[in-house]
Amino acid sequence: MREQIDDRTRNAGGRRRIVRAAKALYCQIGHNKTTVADIGRSLSMSSANIYRFFRSKQAIEEAVVGELLDEIVSAAAEAGRGGGSVLRRLTAILKAIAECNEGRPARDRRLQDLLASAVQQNWSVVLAYEDQIRGVVRPVIGTGQENGELRDGSPMALTCCLLEALDVYLNPSRTGVTTLRPSFEEMLSFCTGALRRTPSVQALDIASHLEIAVGR
């Protein structure tokens, strides 16, 4: 049993080294120009040894993309653990996602190209990422409905509507696209406002009567 654990640890360590090396090369020359042999040489490993850890070059690329997306999920989850109202927590989550994506095109243009390609081709790591983001947002919306802060409706449907409405700001493949559109803050304010529970007509009537009575 101890030997099996050691083997898994070594394999995980080897995969991490390969992913780090691949990521560095992708930043320098791009994923299309990087070969498995290039990755091996940077680690003083043979291509055959690389294939002991990854079945193909695309599997390495998927691991690099997965690492980038995991960073976004972690930032979103951490932002959602903050205090304050549900709308404040939702705002923090969405801002964290946008901020993770915002600087990448200028900072790591070649990595951004790989990530955009993965999103456009619906790689499995991207689909898993989208599920994870929904998994971060949905419970917060559910909590807001339970405490009366947010409107009624299916929490998953509201989650999907919110993320879809903000997709141009949150989608890793669309960041940096210059189009005529509202600012992120304007769109975020509009979307969170749409989620807010509005008082019923009856409640407004009662409040109006109370104001009149107090005024007398």
Side-chain angles (χ1 to χ4, degrees), residues 52-90:
R52 288 180 53 223
F53 296 93
F54 292 95
R55 66 184 182 279
S56 65
K57 180 189 172 187
Q58 181 169 334
I60 299 173
E61 293 174 352
E62 288 176 353
V64 171
V65 170
E67 188 174 276
L68 294 172
L69 296 176
D70 284 345
E71 292 172 1
I72 302 174
V73 173
S74 296
E78 180 62 28
R81 285 191 281 269
S85 69
V86 162
L87 286 174
R88 184 182 294 275
R89 290 170 61 199
L90 279 176

Side-chain angles (χ1 to χ4, degrees), residues 115-180:
L115 185 53
S117 178
V119 172
Q120 290 159 8
Q121 297 176 46
N122 287 321
W123 287 7
S124 59
V125 289
V126 174
L127 298 179
Y129 159 77
E130 292 171 350
D131 281 342
Q132 288 175 299
I133 291 297
R134 286 190 288 266
V136 172
V137 174
R138 182 184 178 279
V140 180
I141 288 180
T143 298
Q145 291 177 316
E146 290 171 4
N147 65 23
E149 189 176 343
L150 301 186
R151 59 182 293 178
D152 293 331
S154 162
M156 181 55 77
L158 293 179
T159 296
C160 291
C161 288
L162 176 63
L163 295 176
E164 183 66 25
L166 290 166
D167 183 70
V168 71
Y169 307 94
L170 304 181
N171 189 317
S173 72
R174 300 183 67 179
T175 53
V177 177
T178 56
T179 58
L180 181 62

